[in-house]
Amino acid sequence: SDTEEIKKPKQKSATVCGYPISIFFIVVNEFCERFSYYGMRAVLVLYFKYFLKWDDDLATTIYHTFVAFCYLTPILGAIIADSWLGKFKTIVYLSIVYTLGQIVMAISAIHDITDTNKDGIPENMSFHVALSMVGLSLIALGTGGIKPCVAAFGGDQFQDHQEKQRSTFFSIFYLSINAGSLLSTIITPMLRAQECGIYSQQKCYPLAFGVPAALMVVALIVFIIGSGMYNKTAPQGNILVKVCKCIAFAIRNRYRHRYSQFSQRTHWMDWADEKYDKLLIAQVKMVVKVLFLYIPLPMFWALFDQQGSRWTLQATTMDGDFGLLTIQPDQMQTVNPILILVLVPIMDSVIYPLISKCKLNFTPLKKMTVGMFLAALAFIAAALVQLQIDVSVTNIKKLTMGQLVKPNSPTHILIYFPENPAAVPIRHWSPGKDHQHAGQTGGRLSWRLKFSLQPFTVLTYLIVCVLFHRFFNGYSSILNITTGTLDFGSTVKNKMSTYANVPHGEAKFHIKDNAGNQCDYSLTLGFGSSYTLLIPSTFKFGTNCEKSINTALDIKPNSFHMAWQIPQYFLITAGEVVFSVTGLEFSYSQAPSNMKSVLQAGWLLTVAVGNIIVLIVAEAAKLPDQWAEYILFASLLLLVDFLFAFMAYFYTYIDPAKIEAQFAHSDPKDKEKKKSLEMGRKDSDGNSNSDRKSSYTSHNEKKDVQLT
């Protein structure tokens, strides 16, 4: 019974420095699992964009849908753990599913699988998309299923007298999460930047997904090794279903007896007393009390998880040159775990003790309020950064090339911008001579060209804020030009290729003709730059063929540096430390003994709802400027933060163990009396008002202990 489970003492385990040895296996497991998850997630939005060829909006949508799914499945994990397998077996079995998902993702990124003509471009992209969706579904099921179990399973390893050690464990546990996140977000983008392949060399997404898969295997093995040392609490029945039924019965019963002639009760859950025992009702009261506080929390996660989507895409338009080191856009996410590793010890050892010495009652809910406020400030900082990015680059939506007119004379070129006809620049170039020109810019454009022009050469200029490239073919035959999985299409003599968005860094272009001749041309691309590459009529395949290709820098690399993202990362990380670490401990401390995984799942559910909010707000708002969207999210969080502070002010902290102890020795006569009442109670549809009143008059004579 529930009472017997509460009385049952925990199994004692060997300790080191006051901590059970078993928690070290749990911490290592969590480190490896988080490395696997965050490593895969760090490159995911770029995988969507550059491998699967999705645009920014679709990549962001699928990214947040996946994250939401990862935080919806904890409900399933909690049901399995608390009512069927227990936490230990749930973690093991779902970790196997998790590992399979990572392996499938790695396989989905192998472009050679469908590259039948060996040109570096998969012929069946639908196959890769389908495989990716299967892999992500398995990962979401696995990682979500074990989320509510691992932290609660770690808390189960401590005895009642180890409250201080348990509190420290949650900080160590969170450090292990962010240590894994830090290393993975440094390493996996580096692996992605490598080139690999059987027939052609491409960005190595299989390796970037394969290493996280290997770490998941390690996590599973480490966790199983510690099996004999764990304190394994047996599953206590279908507790989540029982809770839902208890709540539903209380609501239904309250509605049936809503008339004034019926005696009122102190708490609405007391209307379930006819059918359920007081211990369960008391436990449900504790859970509902905390879940009510969770209502505003999803807004925090709506902002927090945009680090992996909007903020990463923001970084792709910024300069990542740090001197000897060039930072990839997805590597900027490492700022978050680095700051966490620094801020968690500072908060625990310096800030919180200092606040305590000042005799300020900095309760967990106050900490969470401050955390939400800091996250809102982070998005205000992101909006300011975005405004500077918009100033430093030209927006393709505002200036586009309308048409290209080739004059009759081979010594003239005309470039026409329809939005500003007065600014039509007409240049006179003499064939065979080197020229350097500066275009009419209005303070926003600049372009320089210096190369030897061939007769009938036509140079176009596209204004973009990302890396775009176009080839002019002055060669005597049709050429096909590719780089990675991008195809510029076939170009005929004296014609331009289509524009293509090429990732920054070292780009290798493969030029082929119909006879099978090939020339490889390399170019280092800066952030936000634009190039036009000209293949002259004198071009010849063979050794040093690349030297005859002329390169024109249309738009210089973006000058606004990625380092300006650090303030927004600092603010949101500081908010995370005082919000998330505190929230984990708060959820565990306020949960009944047999419902800790349920409440952990409820906490994680707020993350899922937060990611759904991103999709809803971004779709409904449809703001033309990204900075305005950042301000909108910041404003919404400030509003929600005020609501949460108001709710937290009226919250009374409880000790679940003491409340449960009050019901552990309840009088058995009460149970028999309730059973007799239940048997004598007619179906609600057939009861008369007098019968109902009589029944609840008897109920009010019982002694009832209410939650404070």
Side-chain angles (χ1 to χ4, degrees):
S1 68
D2 293 337
T3 303
E4 291 172 349
E5 185 64 31
I6 294 171
K7 290 180 178 180
K8 183 180 178 180
K10 290 184 178 180
Q11 174 186 342
K12 292 184 178 180
S13 59
T15 60
V16 175
C17 299
Y19 294 88
I21 294 178
S22 56
I23 70 163
F24 295 102
F25 291 93
I26 297 172
V27 169
V28 173
N29 165 268
E30 185 67 11
F31 168 82
C32 294
E33 187 273 328
R34 290 291 88 185
F35 184 106
S36 178
Y37 175 74
Y38 284 108
M40 178 276 303
R41 209 174 86 168
V43 301
L44 189 59
V45 73
L46 298 185
Y47 170 74
F48 292 155
K49 182 178 176 67
Y50 294 117
F51 187 90
L52 299 183
K53 302 296 190 304
W54 293 345
D55 60 27
D56 288 0
D57 290 336
L58 180 58
T60 299
T61 298
I62 300 300
Y63 176 88
H64 284 286
T65 301
F66 164 70
V67 176
F69 190 21
C70 288
Y71 289 92
L72 283 172
T73 50
I75 296 294
L76 178 62
I79 293 174
I80 295 173
D82 283 345
S83 63
W84 182 27
L85 296 178
K87 299 184 187 73
F88 174 77
K89 289 183 179 179
T90 301
I91 294 171
V92 171
Y93 294 157
L94 290 182
S95 292
I96 295 174
V97 174
Y98 191 168
T99 304
L100 291 175
Q102 292 282 30
I103 294 172
V104 171
M105 277 300 296
I107 295 173
S108 74
I110 302 176
H111 65 277
D112 292 307
I113 294 178
T114 61
D115 185 12
T116 54
N117 60 4
K118 304 180 183 180
D119 63 349
I121 303 174
E123 271 69 53
N124 188 0
M125 191 59 74
S126 298
F127 172 81
H128 295 276
V129 172
L131 213 57
S132 299
M133 295 303 101
V134 170
L136 291 177
S137 298
L138 292 175
I139 292 170
L141 177 61
T143 188
I146 68 175
K147 275 181 188 297
C149 303
V150 179
F153 188 67
D156 289 343
Q157 307 309 307
F158 294 89
Q159 304 295 320
D160 294 337
H161 64 278
Q162 294 177 307
E163 289 295 330
K164 183 178 179 181
Q165 287 88 343
R166 180 187 286 124
S167 178
T168 306
F169 161 75
F170 283 109
S171 292
I172 296 173
F173 183 82
Y174 209 74
L175 282 174
S176 71
I177 291 175
N178 288 279
S181 172
L182 169 61
L183 291 178
S184 65
T185 48
I186 292 174
I187 294 173
T188 53
M190 294 171 62
L191 298 176
R192 176 192 61 82
Q194 304 301 312
E195 293 194 344
C196 61
I198 301 173
Y199 306 129
S200 62
Q201 300 294 300
Q202 309 292 343
K203 294 298 181 184
C204 205
Y205 287 102
L207 185 60
F209 291 141
V211 170
L215 263 291
M216 195 58 224
V217 173
V218 173
L220 179 59
I221 293 173
V222 168
F223 186 74
I224 293 175
I225 289 174
S227 175
M229 305 179 190
Y230 298 138
N231 173 33
K232 302 172 186 175
T233 304
Q236 302 174 14
N238 202 338
I239 190 66
L240 184 59
V241 174
K242 188 185 293 185
V243 168
C244 293
K245 287 183 177 179
C246 183
I247 293 174
F249 180 81
I251 294 173
R252 194 165 55 247
N253 228 8
R254 176 66 186 88
Y255 178 76
R256 289 173 186 155
H257 302 89
R258 60 190 180 277
Y259 303 107
S260 58
Q261 65 264 36
F262 298 110
S263 301
Q264 299 303 308
R265 306 189 182 185
T266 306
H267 193 283
W268 62 272
M269 275 303 304
D270 292 331
W271 290 95
D273 187 57
E274 252 191 335
K275 186 175 181 180
Y276 297 92
D277 60 69
K278 293 183 179 180
L279 175 58
L280 178 63
I281 293 174
Q283 291 171 330
V284 172
K285 286 180 182 179
M286 290 183 268
V287 169
V288 170
K289 191 177 182 182
V290 176
L291 289 178
F292 178 72
L293 278 180
Y294 284 178
I295 293 175
L297 303 189
M299 201 64 222
F300 173 87
W301 300 113
L303 277 68
F304 180 81
D305 279 332
Q306 291 189 56
Q307 293 177 81
S309 57
R310 289 300 190 192
W311 285 15
T312 297
L313 294 173
Q314 183 187 62
T316 62
T317 62
M318 304 176 74
D319 181 11
D321 186 8
F322 284 80
L324 298 176
L325 180 65
T326 298
I327 299 297
Q328 304 292 330
D330 40 357
Q331 284 182 316
M332 277 304 292
Q333 298 175 59
T334 60
V335 175
N336 174 258
I338 287 173
L339 289 174
I340 281 182
L341 293 175
V342 174
L343 290 178
V344 167
I346 291 177
M347 288 290 183
D348 285 344
S349 304
V350 179
I351 304 298
Y352 293 157
L354 185 62
I355 293 175
S356 180
K357 286 185 178 181
C358 294
K359 296 184 178 180
L360 297 175
N361 187 21
F362 200 34
T363 62
L365 294 179
K366 289 180 180 177
K367 293 177 185 177
M368 294 170 69
T369 303
V370 172
M372 297 171 76
F373 178 74
L374 291 174
L377 293 182
F379 262 62
I380 294 175
L384 295 176
V385 168
Q386 189 63 46
L387 284 171
Q388 291 302 312
I389 292 174
D390 293 343
V391 170
S392 65
V393 298
T394 305
N395 193 331
I396 192 174
K397 295 179 181 178
K398 295 181 180 178
L399 289 174
T400 57
M401 188 180 69
Q403 71 180 73
L404 177 67
V405 181
K406 185 171 69 173
N408 295 328
S409 169
T411 60
H412 290 77
I413 182 172
L414 178 66
I415 302 177
Y416 174 58
F417 295 92
E419 292 186 11
N420 190 5
V424 175
I426 302 177
R427 305 296 181 206
H428 182 279
W429 293 338
S430 299
K433 294 183 180 180
D434 290 346
H435 290 270
Q436 182 168 324
H437 301 280
Q440 191 273 345
T441 67
R444 298 194 62 182
L445 290 192
S446 66
W447 53 280
R448 271 184 199 143
L449 311 171
K450 186 175 183 180
F451 49 86
S452 180
L453 291 169
Q454 302 297 326
F456 299 102
T457 297
V458 179
L459 176 68
T460 63
Y461 180 40
L462 181 65
I463 304 154
V464 292
C465 59
V466 288
L467 302 167
F468 269 78
H469 302 78
R470 192 174 191 179
F471 281 83
F472 171 77
N473 181 15
Y475 190 57
S476 58
S477 68
I478 295 175
L479 296 177
N480 182 267
I481 304 164
T482 60
T483 174
T485 58
L486 297 174
D487 191 349
F488 288 83
S490 297
T491 60
V492 299
K493 183 179 179 180
N494 293 335
K495 293 293 184 179
M496 285 289 179
S497 69
T498 58
Y499 270 96
N501 185 355
V502 182
H504 75 281
E506 188 72 15
K508 292 184 179 180
F509 300 95
H510 308 289
I511 305 169
K512 296 179 182 179
D513 64 4
N514 292 336
N517 298 313
Q518 180 170 328
C519 178
D520 293 333
Y521 178 75
S522 298
L523 183 65
T524 301
L525 310 175
F527 289 87
S529 59
S530 179
Y531 292 85
T532 299
L533 307 180
L534 293 98
I535 303 174
S537 59
T538 57
F539 173 80
K540 292 182 179 180
F541 287 98
T543 307
N544 299 325
C545 61
E546 71 278 359
K547 291 184 179 180
S548 61
I549 299 176
N550 298 307
T551 303
L553 175 61
D554 297 340
I555 299 178
K556 292 181 179 180
N558 192 355
S559 60
F560 199 65
H561 206 277
M562 277 189 195
W564 285 104
Q565 279 195 321
I566 293 177
Q568 67 199 55
Y569 272 101
F570 175 82
L571 287 169
I572 204 161
T573 304
E576 179 190 7
V577 169
V578 295
F579 178 89
S580 189
V581 175
T582 305
L584 279 173
E585 185 179 351
F586 173 79
S587 297
Y588 190 90
S589 67
Q590 299 295 290
S593 60
N594 62 338
M595 299 183 189
K596 296 189 183 296
S597 289
V598 174
L599 207 50
Q600 288 289 321
W603 168 261
L604 296 172
L605 185 62
T606 64
V607 184
V609 177
N611 281 269
I612 294 172
I613 289 174
V614 176
L615 304 178
I616 294 173
V617 173
E619 185 66 24
K622 289 199 177 292
L623 299 173
D625 297 310
Q626 186 58 50
W627 67 265
E629 185 177 292
Y630 289 147
I631 292 296
L632 174 61
F633 276 107
S635 302
L636 290 174
L637 183 57
L638 287 174
L639 181 63
V640 169
D641 192 26
F642 177 79
L643 174 64
F644 179 76
F646 179 78
M647 295 167 62
Y649 179 78
F650 294 98
Y651 183 84
T652 304
Y653 292 87
I654 61 174
D655 184 345
K658 289 184 178 179
I659 294 176
E660 289 174 326
Q662 297 178 42
F663 297 93
H665 305 286
S666 59
D667 190 352
K669 293 181 179 179
D670 282 345
K671 292 184 178 181
E672 293 184 8
K673 187 175 182 181
K674 182 170 56 182
K675 285 182 180 180
S676 63
L677 285 170
E678 180 68 19
M679 292 176 63
R681 187 173 61 89
K682 296 181 181 179
D683 183 82
S684 58
D685 294 334
N687 278 352
S688 64
N689 286 341
S690 60
D691 289 336
R692 292 175 182 173
K693 187 172 182 180
S694 174
S695 173
Y696 281 92
T697 301
S698 299
H699 164 76
N700 288 331
E701 293 175 357
K702 298 180 183 179
K703 183 179 179 182
D704 189 18
V705 181
Q706 301 294 338
L707 290 173
T708 58

